[in-house]
Amino acid sequence: MSYYLLLIPLFPLLGFLINGLLLGKLNKKIVSIVACGAVGLSFLWGLKLFFNLLALPADSRIIEEIAFTWIPSGEFNVNVGFLFDPLSAVMVLVVSGVGFLIHLYSIGYMHDDSGYGRYFTYLNLFIFSMLTLVLANNYLLMFVGWEGVGLCSYLLIGFWFEKQTAADAGKKAFIVNRIGDFGFLLGLFIIFWSTGSLNFITVFDKAPQVFAMGAGLITAATLLLFLGATGKSAQIPLYVWLPDAMEGPTPVSALIHAATMVTAGVYMIARSHVLFLMAPTTLMVVAIVGVATALFAATIALTQNDIKRVLAYSTISQLGYMFVACGVAAFSAGIFHLMTHAFFKALLFLGAGSVIHSLSGQQDMRFMGGLKRHMPTTFWTFLVATLAIAGIPGLSGFFSKDEILWKSFSSDYGSIWIWAIGLFTAMLTAFYMFRLLFLTFYGGERMDHHAKEHLHESPKIMTVPLTILGVLAIVGGYIGIPHILGGGNNFEKFLEPVMGNVQHGGEEAMVMASSGQNGGTELMLMGISVVLILASIYLAYVLYVKNIALAGKIRQSLSGLHKILYGKYYVDELYGAVIIRPLIGLSLFLWKIVDVILIDGLLNGLATIIGDISKIMRPVQSGLLRRYTTVFLLGVVLILGYFVFR
Amino acid sequence: MPGIKIELLIPEMFLFAWALFLFLYDLGAKRKNSQSLGYLAMFGVAVTAVLLSLFHGGMVFGTMFQSDQLALFFKVIFLGAAFMAVGASFDIASEKIHNHRGEYYGLILLSTVGMMFLSSASELLMLYIGLELTTIPLYVLVAYFKDDRLSVESGMKYLIVGAFSSAILLYGLSILYGLTGTTDIVLMKINLSLVFLANGKIGPGLILAIVMVIAGIGFKLALVPFHMWAPDVYQGAPTPITGFLSVGSKAAGVVAFARIFVNGLIGFATDVMAPLDWGIIVAVLASAAMILGNITALRQKNIKRMLAYSSIAQIGYLMIGMVAATDRGISAVSYYMFIYLFANMGAFTIATIFNDKTGSDGIISYAGLSKSSPGFAACMTVFLLSLAGIPPLGGFVAKYLVFASGIQAGYTWLVILALLTAVVSLYYYANVIKMMYFSSESPSYKIKPPIPAQIVLFIGVAGVVIFGLFPQPILNLAAEAAKVFAF
């Protein structure tokens, strides 16, 4: 039977085409119906297929469909084909589901923007690219989606292109992503060269035969893929574009820079886990980069004053957790966190957007405060999301984050150090998130008089998505309650046909948990983290609600450290000095010396030679008819001569 | 005789009658009403296409007229070229041709009838007649601007070189007849092998025949060194006729070449039969075409001359599929020609409309076109990118398939050369795009093509994009066409 997987990305593509071709000719209402309807239909179709998938026995939950063959030629066929298995099912539902809510929210948020139609056109194109990325059955099509996502993020970050910073941020995102893409592409070349295919199933089948475990080639390939992932998923060293990307409209930040696009890297690694498992060195690199990014970004988030910037660094930090999970071979834990994070981070961004909307564009938390009274729905949903990301038991973030911490402790690939840094980062997370919450919603109203009069709760079209996401941020974790807490970890079980039983959790952990050996450790670690997190929340409460003067004092006594953190470790400046300035110098050299003198000289020389040749030839192409016939005849004679004398 | 299915000739007969009808209509119609003639011509072509879909598959006059899949495929290309050439001609017809508009359109259709006969010819005489039927109306059309020195001059050149090559072709064909005692291509193939089996060798006369036929058809294809007429004629002729020459007339040459060489002389394609093989010669000529066409195109300042050299180079690429002489090669050639129809007719249509508006053919005049006429410039960009072979447009798939067939047949050096020259070609195609998009000039005029030309441009863009993204249906048809020859 045919499942028509093609329909899932097709709906947003149609939305894109309709709104794009009739840009400026449709009124806002129709634009929003088309755009939201397209994504909504994708979600519904994805949901239907999800239930179809559930109805199949667990082992055969892989649907592969070739939509069409682009270029058939001999052994190498370029196919447009889709793969729907538990992993892509989760991704499709997250992308189209969260995407749909953000589309709805955007109707309210972008209502007065002059680029309304253009905005929704880009948004649909983005969803189309992302769905292509997660549904592709081969690396080539995945790469097409990957590039499409990069293009859309460029367009959407630079959406307000008349603003110089926005245009620059768009360019920065694009260029940094290109570096990662280059790595990804090189990785693909190695894979294709070794296995002769780019189809996922074929590649993963052949991989154990063509690659030796831990050999240089597979390590190089996976490291290159990981480089691609660091670009898209904003990890060290390519994370610099994401904070700047907050120049785009806030719903875009929620969609691209929290819920979907940045998860592409995590998805790609989870999809390629067969390859990564064959390269332990790469896994170690992934885990170390992940945990370093998590810590690094969390420390920066401590001091930022721009509400969206805090969230941006928090995203980078949370993505770090997902890479830690991949690095310790707990791929389904990574995807689990990806999903819960999509819920609560989209909620945080949309909540922040609601706040900014109400304050007429103000993003600096020093000019907020006391919004709890004015915006109750925004506050309560924001509180839920904050509790979730902090990892308070009972909310989604707790289950997924704790799963990652436990795996980083217990997995063969993990270590106590990764666990410890992860735990410390979790404390920082709780601290900076509650700092944000307290500064925004509690305390005195620090905005100016004019803004104070304008304070209002956002319209229904914005608060309804907030509420839905709030519910998801709570219950989203219940599908992955670990065995130790009496759950069945259904999420991991669901992904098992894709991931196999690679991670050390699985059945083994269940056995251990019931026998009470390792279970004790797991419970103890869980307890430690909960206590520490609660402590750091209390600390934030003391510093930013009860005794605000103390925060200032601490900041002064640690002014050096604060300056470094506030300056984001001066990485942008470092890149500027170490990479960009020399590059400009190099390009100046290339332009002035190599290009103008060498190449132009060479080309001009060549052109002169060609010119000379054509000068010799010119009498031939003279317009004189008898010359033409002479050459014609000469041609015949020459060819004959060739036959005769060879 | 069981084989006479005269109804298979209905499409050709209808188009012929329609051309005559246009002559008569022009006599009766008022002079002011120039549009209706053009629409009637387009209508006639469309009806012929419908008739063609109803009547095909079989033979007429013994085996002389083959209405097979290959003929069908190329007839669609001819009709497409005629349709697009007529659609591009409306402004020219109303402004530059004051008398004899009916003849202008009628001759395009008559030439198309010739091409259709040619593509169905499975016999040397028929093939030669078809070729003449194709070319004679074109002589007149090239010189149609009687007051324009260039047009008249190019018509004269075309006529004389054409007559010259036609004579050479006829010599070649008569030698083939002398060697085999038949004009039927399939019989010729059989007789040649019989002669070879009987004597263990074939006389040197075959060499003469091969070279002369290559030269004669090489003229139609503008294959180096039989290309000298092309730049002058392309520049001087009315632009839609140039487009028609570069697509329709070339496609006719391609199908004639395929019938004689890839079918009749297939045994002599590779160096198994050395020194009587034609493959290596055609490969060398193709590489000369790619080198000369691409390098000379770099320095052209006139868009029509640039496109003339570009089409010389394109034939070079296409001949790779021909020398491969496999079913994959022929289906790649067919697909290539099909895409080339859209891209090249589109580009020439743009050049026509641009000239109608500005009176200029200079590439430099295209500066800043994207600002005043964005849609128009975008169409041109699509055509040029397809000609350059940029994915995902049709030109890319076409080049890819032709190159793949060349490599499969062992012509790796030829494909490498093609790739290198294709890189060079990107420069002159992109140069026009650069002119249109990255020039600080902003022209004062705004180009709004007449409706028929808009239709032509739409067909061109749609063809290049859609059949680039979804080549499968066309590839299936092309594979069917290639099956006509039993490899």
Side-chain angles (χ1 to χ4, degrees):
Chain A
M1 95 179 244
S2 185
Y3 292 90
Y4 300 105
L5 292 177
L6 181 68
L7 284 178
I8 298 178
L10 193 67
F11 288 124
L13 179 66
L14 287 179
F16 161 72
L17 288 177
I18 293 172
N19 279 339
L21 291 176
L22 300 175
L23 194 61
K25 294 192 178 127
L26 300 175
N27 67 32
K28 288 184 177 179
K29 202 162 181 183
I30 296 178
V31 168
S32 21
I33 290 174
V34 169
C36 299
V39 181
L41 285 175
S42 276
F43 176 70
L44 289 178
W45 191 250
L47 204 63
K48 181 205 170 277
L49 291 181
F50 172 73
F51 285 115
N52 284 354
L53 203 65
L54 282 184
L56 295 171
D59 293 340
S60 53
R61 282 181 189 161
I62 292 178
I63 304 171
E64 196 179 16
E65 273 183 6
I66 308 292
F68 63 92
T69 303
W70 184 37
I71 307 177
S73 80
E75 312 75 48
F76 180 63
N77 288 331
V78 182
N79 286 329
V80 175
F82 300 105
L83 179 71
F84 196 72
D85 62 2
L87 178 58
S88 40
V90 171
M91 293 301 294
V92 163
L93 291 182
V94 169
V95 170
S96 58
V98 176
F100 175 66
L101 293 175
I102 291 171
H103 269 70
L104 277 188
Y105 177 95
S106 296
I107 297 177
Y109 192 84
M110 298 299 286
H111 197 262
D112 302 321
D113 199 280
S114 57
Y116 193 80
R118 190 163 57 91
Y119 174 83
F120 276 101
T121 309
Y122 290 165
L123 226 51
N124 268 190
L125 181 64
F126 173 79
I127 297 280
F128 162 70
S129 306
M130 191 69 197
L131 288 173
T132 309
L133 194 162
V134 299
L135 272 173
N137 79 336
N138 61 72
Y139 278 110
L140 195 66
L141 187 60
M142 183 192 214
F143 188 70
V144 172
W146 186 273
E147 288 293 304
V149 165
L151 172 71
C152 293
S153 73
Y154 165 72
L155 292 172
L156 282 166
I157 294 167
F159 183 74
W160 289 315
F161 55 84
E162 59 277 12
K163 214 165 79 181
Q164 185 59 37
T165 48
D168 285 348
K171 258 187 269 174
K172 188 172 179 182
F174 197 67
I175 294 168
V176 172
N177 263 298
R178 297 298 312 165
I179 300 174
D181 294 351
F182 183 64
F184 187 22
L185 206 55
L186 285 182
L188 294 195
F189 285 152
I190 296 184
I191 292 172
F192 181 68
W193 181 59
S194 315
T195 65
S197 173
L198 286 175
N199 181 290
F200 290 140
I201 295 177
T202 321
V203 167
F204 302 148
D205 277 353
K206 278 194 185 167
Q209 298 146 36
V210 294
F211 296 116
M213 182 79 185
L217 197 60
I218 183 74
T219 309
T222 46
L223 277 177
L224 286 167
L225 290 187
F226 177 58
L227 180 65
T230 58
K232 197 108 315 188
S233 293
Q235 296 295 292
I236 292 173
L238 296 180
Y239 70 92
V240 287
W241 64 273
L242 197 135
D244 287 20
M246 297 302 133
E247 291 290 346
T250 308
V252 169
S253 309
L255 181 62
I256 301 196
H257 308 116
T260 56
M261 165 175 161
V262 291
T263 58
V266 182
Y267 167 76
M268 187 260 281
I269 291 185
R271 176 58 79 200
S272 321
H273 70 278
V274 175
L275 302 179
F276 278 81
L277 281 174
M278 296 181 67
T281 320
T282 309
L283 281 181
M284 197 177 73
V285 173
V286 173
I288 291 174
V289 168
V291 77
T293 308
L295 176 66
F296 182 79
T299 53
I300 297 178
L302 291 175
T303 57
Q304 300 301 312
N305 288 324
D306 184 316
I307 184 168
K308 281 175 74 179
R309 250 171 211 281
V310 176
L311 293 177
Y313 280 105
S314 129
T315 300
I316 299 176
S317 174
Q318 297 298 313
L319 287 165
Y321 275 110
M322 298 174 208
F323 279 99
V324 168
C326 293
V328 301
F331 298 101
S332 30
I335 296 294
F336 187 29
H337 195 56
L338 183 159
M339 185 189 78
T340 59
H341 176 254
F343 297 149
F344 59 68
K345 187 49 68 68
L347 177 51
L348 286 171
F349 266 111
L350 295 185
S354 174
V355 168
I356 295 166
H357 193 65
S358 158
L359 289 169
S360 327
Q362 179 62 262
Q363 301 194 7
D364 193 326
M365 292 189 293
R366 284 170 297 187
F367 303 103
M368 295 179 182
L371 293 178
K372 188 179 160 188
R373 284 182 295 284
H374 301 284
M375 314 179 68
T377 317
T378 306
F379 167 72
W380 283 109
T381 51
F382 205 91
L383 178 67
V384 166
T386 310
L387 290 170
I389 193 176
I392 299 299
L395 289 93
S396 62
F398 166 75
F399 298 111
S400 58
K401 189 182 283 187
D402 209 77
E403 172 106 356
I404 292 177
L405 287 176
W406 166 240
K407 289 284 159 63
S408 68
F409 182 85
S410 67
S411 158
D412 285 349
Y413 298 91
S415 105
I416 188 157
W417 291 105
I418 296 180
W419 171 79
I421 299 174
L423 181 62
F424 182 62
T425 306
M427 286 167 60
L428 294 181
T429 307
F431 181 82
Y432 69 69
M433 280 314 300
F434 273 89
R435 168 177 175 265
L436 186 154
L437 184 82
F438 293 139
L439 282 178
T440 309
F441 291 98
Y442 286 79
E445 298 168 5
R446 298 182 296 275
M447 62 293 294
D448 60 35
H449 187 69
H450 184 67
K452 211 178 278 184
E453 285 172 3
H454 267 269
L455 287 179
H456 58 86
E457 180 60 285
S458 297
K460 271 265 154 48
I461 193 80
M462 288 165 73
T463 51
V464 169
L466 288 182
T467 317
I468 299 173
L469 282 170
V471 174
L472 287 172
I474 299 173
V475 304
Y478 294 165
I479 54 173
I481 297 176
H483 302 293
I484 192 77
L485 295 181
N489 209 346
N490 293 325
F491 190 79
E492 192 177 303
K493 219 180 269 168
F494 178 61
L495 285 183
E496 226 172 62
V498 187
M499 303 299 182
N501 216 340
V502 290
Q503 56 268 58
H504 242 261
E507 304 298 313
E508 217 171 315
M510 196 165 68
V511 177
M512 278 188 220
S514 53
S515 70
Q517 287 177 356
N518 231 340
T521 322
E522 188 174 356
L523 269 184
M524 191 182 75
L525 295 182
M526 208 180 270
I528 293 176
S529 75
V530 170
V531 169
L532 288 176
I533 284 167
L534 285 175
S536 64
I537 292 176
Y538 180 71
L539 186 66
Y541 176 71
V542 170
L543 287 180
Y544 293 99
V545 179
K546 272 185 89 174
N547 194 350
I548 300 170
L550 188 61
K553 256 185 231 157
I554 293 175
R555 197 183 311 138
Q556 259 165 17
S557 60
L558 294 172
S559 70
L561 183 64
H562 180 263
K563 219 170 142 190
I564 292 175
L565 292 181
Y566 190 68
K568 299 161 259 175
Y569 295 97
Y570 302 105
V571 170
D572 278 332
E573 287 76 3
L574 184 77
Y575 281 3
V578 177
I579 298 173
I580 297 172
R581 199 103 45 79
L583 261 184
I584 291 175
L586 182 68
S587 64
L588 271 179
F589 167 77
L590 287 177
W591 168 38
K592 291 257 167 81
I593 309 290
V594 177
D595 189 54
V596 173
I597 297 180
L598 223 66
I599 296 183
D600 273 12
L602 201 71
L603 272 186
N604 288 339
L606 201 67
T608 322
I609 295 171
I610 292 178
D612 288 347
I613 294 173
S614 76
K615 224 179 261 170
I616 302 166
M617 297 282 284
R618 198 161 297 149
V620 182
Q621 186 79 41
S622 57
L624 288 181
L625 203 47
R626 67 187 121 88
R627 292 247 162 78
Y628 290 8
T629 42
T630 313
V631 171
F632 199 109
L633 212 58
L634 216 63
V636 174
V637 171
L638 275 178
I639 300 171
L640 271 177
Y642 168 82
F643 272 114
V644 174
F645 292 108
R646 78 170 174 182
Chain B
M1 281 175 74
I4 297 194
K5 292 159 85 183
I6 201 78
E7 71 273 14
L8 290 177
L9 283 173
I10 286 178
E12 283 80 3
M13 290 195 290
F14 171 79
L15 195 60
F16 176 69
W18 196 259
L20 298 186
F21 165 69
L22 288 181
F23 293 160
L24 290 176
Y25 181 85
D26 190 33
L27 282 179
K30 293 198 182 71
R31 283 271 171 264
K32 270 184 246 163
N33 191 1
S34 64
Q35 301 263 319
S36 57
L37 264 171
Y39 281 119
L40 278 174
M42 286 167 96
F43 176 73
V45 174
V47 171
T48 312
V50 173
L51 290 175
L52 195 61
S53 69
L54 298 176
F55 303 105
H56 63 85
M59 288 183 253
V60 196
F61 308 138
T63 57
M64 284 179 96
F65 186 93
Q66 289 270 6
S67 185
D68 54 19
Q69 289 290 324
L70 183 75
L72 182 66
F73 192 95
F74 274 85
K75 280 175 190 175
V76 171
I77 295 180
F78 304 143
L79 289 173
F83 188 84
M84 292 172 87
V86 171
S89 298
F90 277 60
D91 272 0
I92 283 188
S94 66
E95 280 160 28
K96 290 200 179 159
I97 305 173
H98 303 295
N99 296 317
H100 316 301
R101 285 188 195 113
E103 283 88 333
Y104 176 82
Y105 292 124
L107 286 171
I108 294 182
L109 302 197
L110 283 183
S111 179
T112 312
V113 175
M115 294 171 187
M116 292 171 75
F117 271 104
L118 172 60
S119 67
S120 279
S122 66
E123 196 257 6
L124 297 178
L125 268 181
M126 185 78 181
L127 189 134
Y128 182 74
I129 293 169
L131 206 67
E132 290 297 292
L133 278 178
T134 307
T135 318
I136 292 170
L138 285 172
Y139 294 145
V140 185
L141 285 168
V142 167
Y144 218 80
F145 294 157
K146 281 178 293 187
D147 312 331
D148 183 346
R149 201 182 55 81
L150 267 181
S151 172
V152 176
E153 185 189 323
S154 64
M156 201 62 204
K157 284 177 177 165
Y158 189 46
L159 171 66
I160 292 178
V161 183
F164 187 74
S165 74
S166 176
I168 290 186
L169 175 66
L170 201 53
Y171 273 127
L173 296 181
S174 57
I175 295 172
L176 277 180
Y177 174 71
L179 282 173
T180 60
T182 177
T183 53
D184 186 285
I185 291 175
V186 178
L187 272 181
M188 185 177 90
K189 179 159 71 172
I190 297 169
N191 286 358
L192 276 175
S193 53
L194 287 179
V195 170
F196 181 77
L197 286 177
N199 303 343
K201 66 182 173 68
I202 290 178
L206 188 61
I207 302 175
L208 209 58
I210 286 178
V211 175
M212 287 186 157
V213 175
I214 288 180
I217 299 177
F219 161 77
K220 292 253 75 154
L221 298 173
L223 196 62
V224 177
F226 315 112
H227 70 287
M228 300 284 288
W229 59 276
D232 290 7
V233 172
Y234 279 27
Q235 189 181 0
T239 315
I241 299 305
T242 312
F244 190 56
L245 265 180
S246 76
V247 176
S249 172
K250 274 197 181 175
V254 167
V255 78
F257 193 96
R259 292 240 187 234
I260 296 183
F261 285 92
V262 186
N263 192 17
L265 297 172
I266 180 74
F268 303 89
T270 57
D271 53 9
V272 179
M273 294 300 286
L276 290 174
D277 54 331
W278 53 268
I280 183 70
I281 279 298
V282 177
V284 170
L285 297 188
S287 47
M290 291 186 287
I291 295 171
L292 187 130
N294 281 319
I295 289 186
T296 322
L298 289 177
R299 291 173 68 81
Q300 300 304 320
K301 297 186 170 61
N302 180 300
I303 191 121
K304 283 165 76 180
R305 272 188 101 79
M306 187 275 269
L307 287 172
Y309 283 108
S310 131
S311 77
I312 290 174
Q314 297 279 350
I315 278 298
Y317 301 132
L318 183 138
M319 292 311 272
I320 297 176
M322 208 69 95
V323 294
T326 55
D327 48 351
R328 254 172 94 180
I330 291 301
S331 68
V333 162
S334 306
Y335 178 79
Y336 199 108
M337 210 59 228
F338 189 77
I339 292 298
Y340 185 67
L341 158 73
F342 296 108
N344 221 39
M345 280 313 293
F348 274 111
T349 304
I350 297 271
T352 311
I353 300 164
F354 188 79
N355 184 294
D356 292 340
K357 182 80 189 179
T358 65
S360 167
D361 285 332
I363 292 176
I364 202 151
S365 326
Y366 284 73
L369 190 62
S370 68
K371 278 174 219 144
S372 68
S373 323
F376 190 69
C379 287
M380 186 60 160
T381 307
V382 170
F383 298 140
L384 292 174
L385 289 180
S386 177
L387 285 174
I390 304 293
L393 299 172
F396 166 75
V397 182
K399 276 206 175 64
Y400 176 82
L401 292 171
V402 165
F403 293 173
S405 74
I407 289 193
Q408 192 200 27
Y411 284 97
T412 313
W413 64 271
L414 191 58
V415 173
I416 290 174
L417 186 79
L419 285 171
L420 289 177
T421 53
V423 174
V424 174
S425 78
L426 193 56
Y427 176 83
Y428 58 82
Y429 292 124
N431 186 37
V432 180
I433 299 173
K434 188 188 112 195
M435 273 289 165
M436 294 191 297
Y437 282 87
F438 303 106
S439 166
S440 52
E441 284 186 39
S442 36
S444 52
Y445 52 81
K446 187 167 166 42
I447 293 176
K448 185 149 190 337
I451 303 285
Q454 283 184 24
I455 297 173
V456 169
L457 291 180
F458 178 78
I459 294 176
V461 171
V464 166
V465 172
I466 293 175
F467 297 127
L469 287 173
F470 307 99
Q472 197 63 63
I474 304 302
L475 288 177
N476 290 343
L477 290 176
E480 287 290 312
K483 271 189 203 145
V484 167
F485 304 152
F487 286 101

